[in-house]
Amino acid sequence: MAKGKFQKWLEPDGLLLLEGWARDGLTDEQIASNCGISTATLYNWKNDHVEVLEALKRGKEVIDIQVENALLKRALGYHYDEVTREKTVDKETGFSCLTVTKKVTKEVQPDTTAQIFWLKNRKPDKWRDRVDINAPGAQSTEDDPITKSLKETIDAVTETNQDT
């Protein structure tokens, strides 16, 4: 392996390329492969050259935020417009003459798996799988305000669905 191979990756174009690969979601292993080096060498570069570390962090930060936003959107549910276009045929001439555009607003229901994942990671003290029941000040699930709120929400949704 050529000595000083990292020099081209410390130049602005090289750092921009590293950042772009990280932003595209490539792993450190894939980035190392693209550079023609081993993963261990990339880790050494990150330790020895702060510019490489910062470029990779900047790139990964962007994609991490996009994934967080997508997870949150999925957890809360959302609406979107579906647009379809259909051509109609003139019965007399047989030619297509008019395009009919239909716009329908659709709803994606909140995803409980995404909600659980979000809460377990954002509020592990309340949402982790294991609860230390011997912990001082521990609440039973019946006294937990979040559990009460969820039960009330489920009851309200169930009532609404039964009325329709």
Side-chain angles (χ1 to χ4, degrees), residues 4-11 15 18 37 41-57:
K5 191 173 190 177
F6 65 89
Q7 288 298 331
K8 82 172 193 177
W9 298 105
L10 294 177
E11 295 172 8
L15 292 171
L18 291 172
I37 59 173
T41 300
L42 180 61
Y43 293 148
N44 289 337
W45 287 4
K46 287 165 56 173
N47 289 331
D48 297 341
H49 306 284
V50 70
E51 304 95 319
V52 172
L53 178 65
E54 291 301 318
L56 293 172
K57 276 186 181 179

Side-chain angles (χ1 to χ4, degrees), residues 64-75:
D64 289 346
I65 290 169
Q66 289 176 340
V67 171
E68 286 175 10
N69 288 338
L71 176 64
L72 180 60
K73 183 178 178 180
R74 185 77 177 137

Side-chain angles (χ1 to χ4, degrees), residues 16-31:
L16 188 61
L17 193 54
L18 291 172
E19 184 178 334
W21 287 334
R23 186 175 33 256
D24 288 344
L26 272 65
T27 64
D28 284 348
E29 292 77 14
Q30 293 168 320
I31 292 170

Side-chain angles (χ1 to χ4, degrees), residues 84-88 96-102:
T84 58
R85 291 175 179 81
E86 299 173 1
K87 289 187 178 184
T88 58
S96 62
C97 60
L98 177 67
T99 301
V100 178
T101 302
K102 294 180 185 178

